[in-house]
Amino acid sequence: MNRKDWLLFLGVGLFIGVFPLVVLQFKAVSHYVDVMIFAGIFSLVCLGLSMLMGFAGQISMAQAAFFGIGAYASGILTSRFGLNPWAAMPVGVALSASVAWLIGIPTLRLKGHYLAMATLGFGVIVHIILGEEVEWTGGPSGLVDIPGLSLFGRPVTNDVHWYYLVWGIVFLALVFCLHVIHSRVGRALRAIHEEETAAEAMGVPTARFKLQVFVLSAVFAAVAGSLYTHYVTCLNPGSFNLMWSIRFLLMVMVGGMRSLWGAIMGTVLLTFVGNEWLQVFADFEVLIYGAILLVVAMFFPGGLVSLVPRWPGPRKDPIPAASDGGS
Amino acid sequence: MDSHDFGKAILELEDITMQFGGITALQGVTYQVPPDVIQAVIGPNGAGKTTLFHCISGLLQPTSGCVRMNGHRINGLPPHRITALGIARTFQHVALFKSMTVLENVMLARHPRTHSGFLATGFRLPGMRSEEKQIRESAACFLDFVGLEDDAHLEAGTLPLGKQKILEIARALATEPRLVLLDEPAGGLNMRETEELGELIRRIREKGTTVMLVEHDMNLIMEISDRILVLHYGRHLATGTPVEIKDHPAVIEAYLGEG
Ligand SMILES: Nc1ncnc2c1ncn2[C@@H]1O[C@H](COP(=O)(O)OP(=O)(O)OP(=O)(O)O)[C@@H](O)[C@H]1O
Ligand SMILES: [Mg+2]
């Protein structure tokens, strides 16, 4: 992590840290804590997607499906088989990772947008299965009686505790991703995005790296899905359809394709827009998202993160580390 | 076919044919490149020079024939494996990672000589930190070697074409090849830059790296190459030293016939 990352870390960390303390003072906005829990959960999905799309340049239309696999694996295993949520989560993660691996092997060997096509089909299939396999998933009427999470033997019931748990995990994931980006692996991913043939010719096993980052994105989505399940304690296939995959893509794009910080900012903004501020316009949601994307593309192509002011003071160390690309 | 005995070949091309649909870009090319030479490959536009480099570096699979490096067959291997085995290349049409810095471009090329993966880098395991430091230092050395150290922190896409061409070479060298393929490195260079390039290519060979060089700049070719392979319409037309090639009737005809 470089200087800019540390400063963002401080700023964003402080904001996230005091957010509940502030909004809980005002009754009208106290439910923002709940919205921010969803934003945190979605941020996990979008961090993975940012690595995949923003850095490696591969588009997935199935992040909601991986989110759903993690969610339903957790939901079914805990509600029907009495498994502990913390034991169910890795099962969902492993399932999601294996499926991503199977889809990625044939599609990522090729250059071009075959992954987008394959994941588009896959996302639709998962959504149908979730709706049709009534015996397992509860079908359209949903899966209920899912237990909440316990931490250190105590159930997490308070929203504020949930908030800090979710955002704690988001920050761990973010640090992991920042470290990857500022390293040999991150350079390989960016190189694949820019000049895939040259990357291969410089010794980067491009197919393997694309596959690995795709699996990573599926893992993040599944962890998020599992958290989501135990937070809302009931599931409905509607939360895992193509529209949600597109929302995740939009969150990353609006925040800034080439910045992990941007992915989080975009997610928080669009979660508030979707869950809160524009509820009355729900019928026009697609239209509004389209308009937001258009405005971002036209006026700040670097995404929201490009609006973060440049920090004054000496910026250049003699050999600066790789930038996160978000400036 | 070849009158010079340079010892065991580093690269053997055996009956390479490459067809694109109806076009035959290479037709039964057989040739051996000895180690520690500057081997030029010349020929009129469309002769198949770049296609030959693609076949050697694995970016294309020859329709038939065999490529061997130090006696081991390499065609059929993916390009990154071939690079790891010691063949690096530059691109005729510059293919840098434009939004990465000059230094990062070279650091990327340390890939086949380093190891850390997602887990090691994500969790910043101790081995990874020292490796990252070592990548940075050796990349800086390669920039020194080609004389781009002052531009290390510029975005590669902002360099003038001449420097981009040199950066391509630095990047190829950073993979530590035993054989490096340079595809028209002098294209777009002015006279002084071309002279410096000739000097650089000599220094590369002195380091013990065999150089294969595709070039249209005949002065440069005649001055620095040890041997020349002439391709014409995908076929092997002639082989020899610069002096032999200069007066070779078939070569003169091929070039005159073109213009
Ligand atoms: N991918 C391809 N598909 C179809 N034809 C191709 C392809 N690549 C090369 N060719 C054809 O093969 C022949 C050899 O091309 P190549 O690029 O190897 O020539 P070259 O000797 O490098 O020429 P130049 O000096 O102009 O770079 C040309 O006729 C070219 O049109
Ligand atoms: Mg060419």
Side-chain angles (χ1 to χ4, degrees):
Chain A
M1 302 205 317
N2 56 25
R3 185 185 148 84
K4 181 176 171 180
D5 284 333
W6 280 113
L7 286 165
L8 274 166
F9 220 90
L10 221 67
V12 176
L14 209 67
F15 175 80
I16 295 293
V18 302
F19 182 84
L21 309 179
V22 173
V23 297
L24 285 177
Q25 304 298 318
F26 307 96
K27 194 137 186 17
V29 292
S30 61
H31 62 287
Y32 277 14
V33 175
D34 172 66
V35 180
M36 277 297 277
I37 292 170
F38 285 112
I41 290 171
F42 299 152
S43 289
L44 272 181
V45 181
C46 290
L47 278 176
L49 187 56
S50 175
M51 297 283 284
L52 176 70
M53 179 170 70
F55 288 93
Q58 309 299 310
I59 295 170
S60 163
M61 304 293 287
Q63 290 320 97
F66 294 118
F67 186 57
I69 289 174
Y72 271 90
S74 251
I76 291 169
L77 289 172
T78 52
S79 69
R80 310 230 152 153
F81 299 91
L83 221 64
N84 183 299
W86 295 112
M89 185 189 279
V91 177
V93 166
L95 186 63
S96 181
S98 323
V99 172
W101 192 73
L102 286 175
I103 297 173
I105 284 234
T107 49
L108 290 173
R109 193 175 297 158
L110 307 169
K111 271 171 81 176
H113 291 301
Y114 295 96
L115 185 68
M117 284 196 260
T119 49
L120 186 61
F122 170 71
V124 171
I125 291 170
V126 168
H127 182 237
I128 290 173
I129 291 176
L130 295 182
E132 297 292 316
E133 285 296 312
V134 178
E135 246 174 74
W136 287 93
T137 65
S141 51
L143 183 66
V144 291
D145 295 332
I146 301 166
L149 272 189
S150 291
L151 205 56
F152 309 118
R154 282 192 307 189
V156 186
T157 47
N158 185 325
D159 265 8
V160 175
H161 293 169
W162 260 103
Y163 175 95
Y164 285 114
L165 173 67
V166 165
W167 280 99
I169 295 174
V170 171
F171 271 83
L172 289 180
L174 174 65
V175 170
F176 179 91
C177 291
L178 282 172
H179 283 160
V180 170
I181 288 308
H182 296 304
S183 77
R184 170 179 190 264
V185 177
R187 280 189 297 273
L189 296 179
R190 288 189 288 151
I192 290 169
H193 192 171
E194 284 202 39
E195 281 286 349
E196 189 165 344
T197 305
E200 178 78 27
M202 294 309 128
V204 176
T206 53
R208 191 198 304 163
F209 272 91
K210 288 191 287 180
L211 187 60
Q212 285 179 344
V213 72
F214 180 48
V215 169
L216 181 86
S217 78
V219 164
F220 277 32
V223 171
S226 179
L227 288 171
Y228 178 85
T229 302
H230 298 295
Y231 180 60
V232 299
T233 66
C234 64
L235 294 176
N236 179 311
S239 314
F240 310 101
N241 58 15
L242 178 63
M243 190 57 214
W244 270 99
S245 288
I246 293 175
R247 275 196 194 106
F248 291 138
L249 289 173
L250 283 181
M251 289 170 177
V252 173
M253 291 183 201
V254 166
M257 284 274 272
R258 307 197 113 202
S259 165
L260 296 164
W261 295 101
I264 292 179
M265 292 177 198
T267 308
V268 170
L269 179 77
L270 287 201
T271 306
F272 270 94
V273 168
N275 284 28
E276 190 57 32
W277 297 332
L278 291 181
Q279 287 253 302
V280 274
F281 302 111
D283 290 345
F284 303 106
E285 197 190 345
V286 180
L287 196 71
I288 290 164
Y289 283 168
I292 293 177
L293 190 61
L294 199 66
V295 169
V296 168
M298 281 164 51
F299 299 110
F300 3 92
L304 285 182
V305 73
S306 61
L307 302 180
V308 173
R310 285 191 162 276
W311 305 93
R315 289 177 47 82
K316 272 235 155 91
D317 27 341
I319 301 182
S323 88
D324 184 29
S327 59
Chain B
M1 196 168 4
D2 190 28
S3 51
H4 307 270
D5 182 19
F6 286 89
K8 201 165 160 32
I10 184 169
L11 185 78
E12 294 167 72
L13 306 170
E14 191 183 300
D15 203 14
I16 305 285
T17 295
M18 182 75 228
Q19 286 167 331
F20 300 103
I23 301 170
T24 302
L26 291 172
Q27 175 76 61
V29 174
T30 296
Y31 193 70
Q32 300 200 342
V33 181
D36 299 323
V37 297
I38 296 175
Q39 167 72 60
V41 180
I42 64 170
N45 290 109
K49 307 177 295 291
T50 298
T51 304
L52 184 66
F53 274 13
H54 285 336
C55 288
I56 297 170
S57 59
L59 294 180
L60 283 175
Q61 282 302 316
T63 314
S64 66
C66 185
V67 183
R68 286 194 210 83
M69 186 194 181
N70 291 327
H72 300 286
R73 185 190 174 109
I74 57 168
N75 60 315
L77 296 177
H80 71 265
R81 289 276 305 133
I82 293 175
T83 308
L85 288 173
I87 298 181
R89 64 168 296 163
T90 66
F91 291 88
Q92 176 174 356
H93 304 289
V94 179
L96 294 170
F97 311 115
K98 291 197 179 57
S99 79
M100 291 165 65
T101 65
V102 169
L103 182 68
E104 282 176 324
N105 268 271
V106 182
M107 287 171 77
L108 181 280
R110 296 298 295 154
H111 201 96
R113 306 294 165 226
T114 47
H115 308 285
S116 329
F118 274 88
L119 296 181
T121 56
F123 293 117
R124 276 189 90 67
L125 302 182
M128 173 266 165
R129 291 172 190 227
S130 56
E131 187 177 85
E132 184 71 10
K133 186 158 168 278
Q134 173 239 311
I135 290 174
R136 201 170 279 275
E137 285 166 359
S138 53
C141 285
F142 284 104
L143 282 183
D144 273 348
F145 182 77
V146 301
L148 282 180
E149 62 278 4
D150 292 338
D151 301 311
H153 303 303
L154 299 179
E155 252 181 45
T158 65
L159 293 182
L161 181 62
K163 285 185 171 179
Q164 293 197 9
K165 288 269 179 181
I166 301 297
L167 177 55
E168 280 251 345
I169 298 176
R171 192 174 64 164
L173 293 179
T175 66
E176 287 180 41
R178 281 185 280 176
L179 170 66
V180 65
L181 316 175
L182 308 180
D183 197 346
E184 299 198 18
L189 266 57
N190 63 32
M191 237 165 68
R192 217 199 65 209
E193 288 170 330
T194 305
E195 251 168 52
E196 287 170 3
L197 174 71
E199 202 46 51
L200 173 62
I201 294 174
R202 282 211 183 90
R203 282 194 290 131
I204 294 171
R205 182 195 45 193
E206 276 156 28
K207 279 203 337 179
T209 305
T210 307
V211 179
M212 271 181 97
L213 171 68
V214 165
E215 217 3 282
H216 284 295
D217 185 322
M218 281 307 147
N219 292 333
L220 180 67
I221 290 284
M222 293 301 161
E223 194 173 316
I224 66 170
S225 43
D226 299 305
R227 322 200 314 162
I228 299 175
L229 162 66
V230 188
L231 293 179
H232 191 42
Y233 290 119
R235 288 170 190 275
H236 174 289
L237 182 72
T239 312
T241 61
V243 178
E244 288 163 354
I245 291 299
K246 195 159 29 189
D247 303 322
H248 200 296
V251 176
I252 293 167
E253 193 183 328
Y255 272 87
L256 290 181
E258 194 205 22

